[in-house]
Amino acid sequence: MKSLLKHREIITIGGVVLLVAIVGAFHSSFLDPANLVRVLNSTVILALLGAGSAIVIITRNIDVSVGSTLALSGIVGAMLMRDGAPIWVAVLAVLGLGAVLGAINGIGVTYGHAPSIVMTLGTLAAYRGISFLITGGHSIESLPAAYRRVGRIEILGVPILIWIAVAVIAALALLMARTKFGRSFYATGDNAEGAYLVGISTNTIVILAYTISGLLAGAAALVFLAQVGSIGNQAGQGIEMRAIAAAVIGGVSLTGGVGTVVGAVFGAIFISTATSSLSFLGIPGSWSDTVIGAILLAALFADSRVRALVSKRRLAARYSALADETAEGHPKLESEVRS
């Protein structure tokens, strides 16, 4: 039980396996390797955004602007490629712009003292508006064929974009779990004042969390361009709520200090699997948001119950320790009185 509480992503992984098994039991074609690869390929963008959202939530903040960041950085990259800029220059521009847009959120939250939900709601609208002004409401197309081919390259039957995403997520997971720098994010989210007293620059950590989230949104924009081959100002609209849902379903607590990047990625896989299974079960795709909302509410309720259980156990352990200390102290007091 303690292991499950500490590693709540295990529950999400079990949920993904169970969901795939249930849908596969009704429609064996769902278990076809080609279909499972398609589900994973469609998860890459949400997994990157979910990982970025998880890091922000771990610091006890939230980012609802990742969809607009994806659109704006992707549009700038697509325009550069369309106008003849080298692909590597466009890639660096997309990643750099994503990081800068994320850092703006972090600076507004820390030094601007704006609540994170208000700050990122503002930039959600601002980044989306700038995207419309740049494009005039039209899609950016005519990307170089060399870049569009990236979305079709496969290694061992699996798209290269999945391999790259796995490598990025693995590096990020190791950074968060195995380094002092990564643990600073958890300390900031768990107890910001305590983290500051032990020498952690909490404002810097929060800004870095948003910067990483923006960087991953830029990476998601590059995946979008490679998979779709064009981009408009409506790209990524509404995906920010799915990214947050992926993090929460994956075991990241909205109260901060708890959760992992890997859990958020499996939360994204769970959402993609659930939405993909709707067509196999004969349920209209228009139900997908309702299904995801229901899953998110269930995850929030479960998170609340888990936190209540952990708090109850901590209090019980403290009372037990206090009772033991009192029982040991009485004989000592009696012997002191007799002497």
Side-chain angles (χ1 to χ4, degrees), residues 47 50-52 54-55 58 169-170 172-173 176 186 252 259-266:
I55 295 174
I58 285 171
I169 297 299
L172 200 56
M176 292 293 291
Y186 289 95
V252 179
T260 64
V261 169
V262 174
V265 171
F266 275 97

Side-chain angles (χ1 to χ4, degrees), residues 133-297:
L133 290 174
I134 292 175
T135 62
H138 303 290
S139 296
I140 307 298
E141 300 175 348
S142 303
L143 300 183
Y147 187 79
R148 285 186 276 115
R149 276 198 297 272
V150 174
R152 299 193 293 272
I153 297 175
E154 294 185 352
I155 298 177
L156 301 175
V158 177
I160 192 172
L161 293 176
I162 295 179
W163 292 110
I164 294 174
V166 168
V168 170
I169 297 299
L172 200 56
L174 287 174
L175 177 74
M176 292 293 291
R178 301 294 183 185
T179 67
K180 181 180 178 182
F181 174 71
R183 287 191 289 274
S184 297
F185 291 85
Y186 289 95
T188 300
D190 186 47
N191 185 345
E193 292 181 358
Y196 181 78
L197 290 175
V198 298
I200 296 173
S201 177
T202 53
N203 282 349
T204 302
I205 291 297
V206 171
I207 292 173
L208 285 174
Y210 278 103
T211 303
I212 294 172
S213 179
L215 181 65
L216 291 175
L222 292 173
V223 174
F224 187 96
L225 291 174
Q227 290 181 336
V228 180
S230 63
I231 190 168
N233 67 297
Q234 298 300 316
Q237 192 167 35
I239 200 171
E240 51 273 344
M241 299 312 297
R242 292 193 178 202
I244 294 170
V248 174
I249 291 169
V252 179
S253 174
L254 289 173
T255 56
V258 176
T260 64
V261 169
V262 174
V265 171
F266 275 97
I269 295 174
F270 186 88
I271 290 174
S272 295
T273 305
T275 52
S276 176
S277 64
L278 293 180
S279 60
F280 283 85
L281 298 175
I283 300 173
S286 55
W287 279 83
S288 61
D289 287 339
T290 305
V291 172
I292 292 170
I295 295 171
L296 178 60
L297 288 175

Side-chain angles (χ1 to χ4, degrees), residues 4 8 12-13 16 29 56 70 108 110 129 135 139 145 147 222 225 236-237 288 294 298-299 301 311 323:
L4 286 177
R8 284 188 270 180
T12 308
I13 295 172
V16 171
S29 58
V56 172
L70 181 155
T110 52
T135 62
S139 296
Y147 187 79
L222 292 173
L225 291 174
Q237 192 167 35
S288 61
F301 178 75
S311 177

